[in-house]
Amino acid sequence: MTRSFVARCGAVALLMSGAGCAAAGRPGEASSYLIVESFVAASGATATTFGGTLGSDVQTLVNASINGVDMRVPTVFEDVGQVRFRLAMKNPSLTAAAANFITVSRYRVVFRRADGRNTPGVDVPFGFDGAVTVTVGSEPISAAFTLVRIQAKSESPLLALVGGGGAMAISTLAEITFYGTDQAGRDVVATANISVNFADWGDPE
């Protein structure tokens, strides 16, 4: 590919959103790609209540009976994310076939702060890799996975928030990168973001 061809392709991409040059702007050799239609998360303390921002509770008091005595027991829950994928073709004039279906197999979560203080284990929780398996075909599909690991709430910097009653908080942006392949083994990557605010939030009764 010559430089002149690349220059012409870039110029066309600025003028129109056609298949040829515009499609070349998407990385990877696969002819299909992933669209993240939606991304929501839920605190482990209220795992069925999803929202566009996560209030991650670093410690939750739950009701329990111990030796016949009712009490509130400190507990830690992991938090879950739920993503909805849709498949699209780089050439919009083509219809996706089974060979274009994309299987997502793993993901990576990285936390960042707006103030630029991003040292893992000091300013933000450690990033991590996780496994999730879902195949995106002709219809949109959702998948759930761990967004905040349980061990992160027992490590710095989240451990220092315990007992703060919500007065202390760490606000982050979680970037989640999903990795998959089409059925020919060609790599596909998609990214989603969500705000995650860590604190010792008020606990449900």
Side-chain angles (χ1 to χ4, degrees), residues 17-187:
S17 57
C21 296
R26 298 190 177 275
E29 298 179 353
S31 55
S32 56
Y33 62 95
L34 288 176
I35 295 173
V36 176
E37 283 198 328
S38 65
F39 188 94
V40 291
S43 167
T46 54
T48 59
T49 305
F50 286 87
T53 297
L54 173 61
S56 178
D57 197 358
V58 295
Q59 178 178 269
T60 305
L61 299 179
V62 299
N63 296 319
S65 179
I66 300 177
N67 296 326
V69 179
D70 293 334
M71 59 182 62
R72 301 277 278 171
V73 179
T75 308
V76 177
F77 296 99
E78 68 181 15
D79 304 318
V80 294
Q82 182 172 283
V83 62
R84 183 172 177 83
F85 293 114
R86 178 165 61 88
L87 183 145
M89 299 297 293
K90 291 180 180 177
N91 185 340
S93 66
L94 299 179
T95 300
N100 306 123
F101 292 176
I102 295 171
T103 298
V104 178
S105 57
R106 66 184 181 91
Y107 65 96
R108 178 161 182 78
V109 179
V110 176
F111 297 97
R112 295 186 176 88
R113 287 171 43 158
D115 61 9
R117 295 167 56 189
N118 296 319
T119 303
V122 176
D123 304 307
V124 295
F126 288 98
F128 69 95
D129 294 280
V132 61
T133 300
V134 61
T135 296
V136 187
S138 56
E139 298 294 332
I141 190 170
S142 298
F145 59 94
T146 298
L147 178 58
V148 180
R149 299 181 301 171
I150 193 170
Q151 56 265 48
K153 299 182 180 183
S154 300
E155 301 172 337
S156 177
L158 302 187
L159 184 61
L161 301 178
V162 174
M168 300 183 296
I170 296 176
S171 296
T172 70
L173 173 70
E175 181 181 85
I176 305 91
T177 305
F178 298 95
Y179 300 91
T181 59
D182 68 5
Q183 303 311 298
R186 295 172 293 195
D187 292 334

